[in-house]
Amino acid sequence: DIDEITEKLTISAPGMSTKLVINLKALPVEEAAVDCTVWGEAVTANVIDGGEWFSKFLGSDFNLVRMAGTNSS
């Protein structure tokens, strides 16, 4: 769910005791870019907090990224 007032994204999943809350306002505007693969395509993106939550849920190592050069507004 996205709270449009606070601009927070909340993610929950079956079997996870905690929810992942991402403050979209606080995402870094410019961080060191990393090359990665998203949906089979090579892209440049920024790693953001939340990868550990997805790794625990999915049972493998993942990073949560946002496309480099984008902002939340």
Side-chain angles (χ1 to χ4, degrees):
D1 293 325
I2 296 179
D3 184 317
E4 293 180 19
I5 295 170
T6 63
E7 294 188 33
K8 290 184 179 178
L9 171 65
T10 302
I11 302 169
S12 60
M16 294 294 286
S17 60
T18 60
K19 294 180 180 181
L20 174 62
V21 179
I22 300 170
N23 184 346
L24 300 174
K25 286 182 178 180
L27 291 178
V29 175
E30 289 301 325
E31 289 284 322
V34 295
D35 293 326
C36 61
T37 303
V38 177
W39 300 111
E41 297 290 326
V43 298
T44 300
N46 301 104
V47 176
I48 62 172
D49 290 339
E52 298 87 14
W53 189 93
F54 280 101
S55 294
K56 182 176 178 183
F57 176 64
L58 297 170
S60 190
D61 289 333
F62 290 94
N63 287 317
L64 183 60
V65 298
R66 85 184 242 289
M67 300 303 291
T70 61
N71 61 39
S72 61
S73 55

